């Protein structure tokens, strides 16, 4: 498997269909959670985690607008899992080796044990897709991290994951475009 390979059955199609075990009464609060953890310079595309988060959020929104009788007809399926995306600074794809402290903090946060982390310990950054951020602001909901100031948007994620192969390609394309413009001006 190399960078750029495509899965035969991608997770983006499977995760929203996982039965999370949550119920509509508690809005899936006690259901399954899925956490994506990416290194700042990871070759994996962080947008995959944000896309899964978006799809699960949309599926949950659709469930909320569906009537109870319709839901009963659908065998009362459980809501989709809650999806969280974490970024670990100064790490590539082997983030557990390259920055084990933030990786361990991300694991503790995912396990609901953030309060057990030492006060000065470096923590991972949490990212949310634009739809989740908008819904959270409208509903007054909180994110997984108790430190709301470290929950960042998709735009911030693009800046954070600057070393990923996708951002690097886009950055090189921009440099090439800028070089062409400069050469045209010289002529």
């Amino acid at each position: 498997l190399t960078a750029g390979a495509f899965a035969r059955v991608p997770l983006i199609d499977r995760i929203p269909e996982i039965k999370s075990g949550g119920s509509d009464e508690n809005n899936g609060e006690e259901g399954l959670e899925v956490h994506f953890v990416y290194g700042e310079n990871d070759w994996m595309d962080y947008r995959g985690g944000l896309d899964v988060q978006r799809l699960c959020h949309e599926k949950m929104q659709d469930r909320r607008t569906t009537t109870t009788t319709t839901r009963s007809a659908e065998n009362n399926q459980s809501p989709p899992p809650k999806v969280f995306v974490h970024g670990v600074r100064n790490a590539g794809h082997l983030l557990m080796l390259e920055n084990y402290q933030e990786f361990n903090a991300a694991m503790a946060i995912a396990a609901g044990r953030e309060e057990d982390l030492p006060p000065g310990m470096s923590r991972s950054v949490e990212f949310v897709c634009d739809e989740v951020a908008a819904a959270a602001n409208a509903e007054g909901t909180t994110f997984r991290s108790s430190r709301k100031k470290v929950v960042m948007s998709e735009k911030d994620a693009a800046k954070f994951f600057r070393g990923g192969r996708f951002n690097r390609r886009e950055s090189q394309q921009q440099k090439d475009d800028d070089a062409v413009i400069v050469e045209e001006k010289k002529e």
Side-chain angles (χ1 to χ4, degrees):
L1 182 64
T2 62
F6 293 96
R8 281 186 273 158
V9 186
L11 289 175
I12 193 169
D13 299 331
R14 296 178 4 206
I15 290 175
E17 302 305 319
I18 293 174
K19 294 182 180 185
S20 73
S23 66
D24 289 324
E25 289 77 36
N26 61 19
N27 292 325
E29 291 294 328
E30 296 174 13
L32 179 69
E33 293 181 354
V34 175
H35 292 259
F36 288 89
V37 185
Y38 297 97
E40 179 180 25
N41 301 307
D42 205 326
W43 62 267
M44 295 284 292
D45 189 357
Y46 68 91
R47 292 177 287 193
L50 291 173
D51 288 343
V52 171
Q53 185 182 61
R54 180 179 292 106
L55 288 173
C56 288
H57 173 73
E58 289 171 358
K59 188 172 180 180
M60 179 58 87
Q61 295 299 90
D62 289 346
R63 286 182 59 78
R64 289 180 181 162
T65 59
T66 308
T67 62
T68 309
T69 54
T70 307
R71 213 176 287 138
S72 296
E74 296 172 349
N75 294 329
N76 204 6
Q77 295 177 336
S78 67
K82 294 180 96 179
V83 177
F84 300 91
V85 180
H86 305 273
V88 174
R89 293 174 200 86
N90 302 317
H93 190 63
L94 297 174
L95 51 150
M96 70 290 292
L97 299 175
E98 296 167 351
N99 189 346
Y100 67 90
Q101 291 176 324
E102 276 194 27
F103 174 78
N104 289 342
M107 295 295 102
I109 291 168
R113 305 295 301 258
E114 184 174 10
E115 68 279 355
D116 294 341
L117 295 173
M121 184 175 188
S122 181
R123 288 166 169 75
S124 61
V125 181
E126 183 180 341
F127 297 97
V128 294
C129 65
D130 294 336
E131 293 79 359
V132 170
N137 288 335
E139 299 169 7
T141 331
T142 59
F143 299 103
R144 178 65 164 181
S145 175
S146 60
R147 300 167 304 123
K148 294 178 188 175
K149 64 183 175 197
V150 296
V151 177
M152 302 175 118
S153 69
E154 282 188 74
K155 187 176 181 180
D156 295 323
K159 292 176 188 173
F160 178 86
F161 293 108
R162 65 184 179 273
R165 70 182 177 94
F166 294 96
N167 289 343
R168 188 171 28 241
R169 183 183 308 140
E170 292 165 4
S171 176
Q172 184 60 45
Q173 181 62 44
Q174 184 62 40
K175 287 178 187 175
D176 292 346
D177 292 346
D178 291 345
V180 170
I181 292 170
V182 170
E183 288 176 18
E184 288 174 357
K185 287 182 181 178
K186 286 180 182 178
E187 295 174 359

